[in-house]
Amino acid sequence: MKRSTFILAVTIILGSMSMSILGGQAFAALTPQISAGWKHTAVLKQDGTVWTCGYNAYGQLGDGTTVNKSTPVRVLSNVKALSSGGYFTLALKQDGTVFSWGSNDVGQIGEGTTVASQKTPVSVITGITTIAAGFSHAVALTDRKTVLVWGSNGHGELGDGTTSNKKSPVEVSGISDVIAVAAGQFFTVALKSDGTVWTWGDNGYGELGDGSAVVNKRTPTQVKGISGVVTIAAGGNHAVALDVNGKIWGWGYNVFGDLGDGSTTNRSTAVYITDNAKAITAGVDFVLVLKTDGTVWASGENTYGQLCDGTTTSRNTLAQISGLSGVSSVSGGYYHTLVLKTDGTIWACGRNNYGQLGNGALVDQMKASRVSP
């Protein structure tokens, strides 16, 4: 029986959480970013400001309240990357400092306490280049290419050899020279500079991709069957990777056709999905692929229209989302999808009961609608 699942990750062309390098304070070179969380959304605008909308019971919108918002509210400035977790949010500032806010019951905020929630951003750590938020754990890549983690650890998702939650960042041992990270519900993915992919944490559905039947692994293990990887993304209980040749590979939970390989069989090692891709994202039980021609393709669960095809029919093979072109990045969350176009506009579809689509309504959308400015 399927568990309650989560997300996540934003994938922007060169990495699961890749980012633009900023010059001075003008932010002219900053590429806008989008991040779909459990029931909320975070957007990074070109001027370096962060805007959020959706579910806010734990302060995950960061505006100092617990009131849901159906249109985006401004939270933070001078930011260059962000990631939405289960009920919390991470932001990386231009100076390499990580800020977080929202639910903190297992220390996922990372500031050394388990106070129930933080309704406004708090500083966690410096010297960081990349961030990723899972359901209730966080991952950060340092400027030394090592990995720091904090938050929940019941499945070994922190990779420190234990199952003890951590209220402050700890370093993952046994892995170095990492260039990208991604976080799923209860597992973590890391990409090394040699193009190999490493995972740790929950493996109940094969989400570690190492071919084993071991349920949990507390230290990094290598994904089998892939090499030359340049981008990674993690969903609820599945993961995908993009290699240097534009081929997409996936592994893990696949009951709804999450991987788009034409089956509904869980995969404990990487299987080929498609090619001619330049970006990927994994939501809960679905996957989105941005092709080199700017079109978006999707497969998996579609209960709330999160595949943006005008239906609520799930499918196990990738199909093009009609009406979407000129796309620069995509992000899949918990039953909702975000699409960023090259003209800077943001479009969304799927579940919208808390206003997570940011269009001012509380009605689910089976086709992409524009997020309010």
Side-chain angles (χ1 to χ4, degrees):
M1 183 175 179
K2 181 192 166 189
R3 292 176 297 189
S4 172
T5 51
F6 164 68
I7 76 176
L8 170 93
V10 177
T11 302
I12 301 175
I13 301 183
L14 292 178
S16 170
M17 277 290 157
S18 59
M19 61 199 74
S20 299
I21 302 299
L22 308 183
Q25 296 296 320
F27 296 100
L30 179 61
T31 301
Q33 295 178 28
I34 48 178
S35 182
W38 177 264
K39 299 172 184 175
H40 74 289
T41 291
V43 173
L44 174 61
K45 290 191 175 184
Q46 191 169 7
D47 62 1
T49 59
V50 172
W51 298 71
T52 58
C53 61
Y55 190 55
N56 196 31
Y58 300 93
Q60 58 265 51
L61 299 190
D63 67 343
T65 77
T66 54
V67 178
N68 302 334
K69 304 292 191 305
S70 61
T71 55
V73 293
R74 179 172 171 166
V75 180
L76 204 58
S77 59
N78 299 337
V79 172
K80 61 180 180 180
L82 50 76
S83 182
S84 300
Y87 297 114
F88 73 109
T89 310
L90 300 176
L92 177 63
K93 287 222 172 188
Q94 181 186 1
D95 63 2
T97 302
V98 175
F99 281 76
S100 59
W101 58 93
S103 179
N104 191 42
D105 58 319
V106 290
Q108 59 265 53
I109 298 301
E111 39 72 274
T113 75
T114 52
V115 61
S117 64
Q118 294 282 357
K119 300 179 183 66
T120 55
V122 295
S123 176
V124 178
I125 194 170
T126 60
I128 302 302
T129 62
T130 304
I131 51 174
F135 179 67
S136 54
H137 76 289
V139 188
L141 180 60
T142 74
D143 51 18
R144 296 176 289 108
K145 296 185 179 180
T146 58
V147 180
L148 297 177
V149 289
W150 62 92
S152 66
N153 196 28
H155 300 265
E157 55 263 50
L158 299 189
D160 67 344
T162 77
T163 54
S164 301
N165 300 337
K166 300 297 187 298
K167 298 180 289 186
S168 301
V170 297
E171 187 170 308
V172 178
S173 60
I175 190 167
S176 59
D177 202 24
V178 176
I179 59 173
V181 291
Q185 179 173 256
F186 299 127
F187 72 105
T188 305
V189 186
L191 171 63
K192 297 184 69 170
S193 62
D194 63 2
T196 60
V197 179
W198 297 73
T199 56
W200 55 91
D202 188 18
N203 195 36
Y205 300 107
E207 50 265 70
L208 299 190
D210 66 347
S212 76
V214 178
V215 175
N216 298 320
K217 289 198 174 181
R218 303 173 187 175
T219 55
T221 182
Q222 187 174 351
V223 176
K224 292 185 177 181
I226 53 174
S227 60
V229 173
V230 295
T231 301
I232 53 175
N237 298 302
H238 68 293
V240 285
L242 168 65
D243 71 20
V244 68
N245 297 311
K247 297 181 183 298
I248 300 293
W249 304 81
W251 60 94
Y253 191 77
N254 195 34
V255 171
F256 292 94
D258 315 37
L259 302 179
D261 69 338
S263 79
T264 54
T265 302
N266 297 337
R267 305 291 188 177
S268 62
T269 57
V271 295
Y272 168 77
I273 300 174
T274 190
D275 53 17
N276 296 322
K278 68 175 181 178
I280 49 176
T281 189
V284 171
D285 299 331
F286 67 103
V287 66
L288 298 163
V289 176
L290 174 59
K291 296 268 190 171
T292 53
D293 61 2
T295 60
V296 180
W297 298 64
S299 70
E301 186 176 8
N302 196 29
T303 304
Y304 298 100
Q306 58 265 45
L307 300 188
C308 301
D309 65 353
T311 78
T312 55
T313 303
S314 302
R315 57 170 177 264
N316 61 16
T317 56
L318 291 171
Q320 183 179 348
I321 298 176
S322 63
L324 281 181
S325 60
V327 175
S328 63
S329 67
V330 286
S331 178
Y334 182 70
Y335 301 143
H336 74 290
T337 293
L338 303 176
V339 175
L340 175 63
K341 289 193 174 185
T342 54
D343 63 5
T345 60
I346 298 169
W347 300 72
C349 65
R351 192 71 163 140
N352 196 34
N353 54 331
Y354 294 104
Q356 54 264 54
L357 300 189
N359 59 8
L362 297 175
V363 179
D364 298 344
Q365 299 285 331
M366 292 182 290
K367 287 191 175 183
S369 63
R370 185 170 176 177
V371 176
S372 300

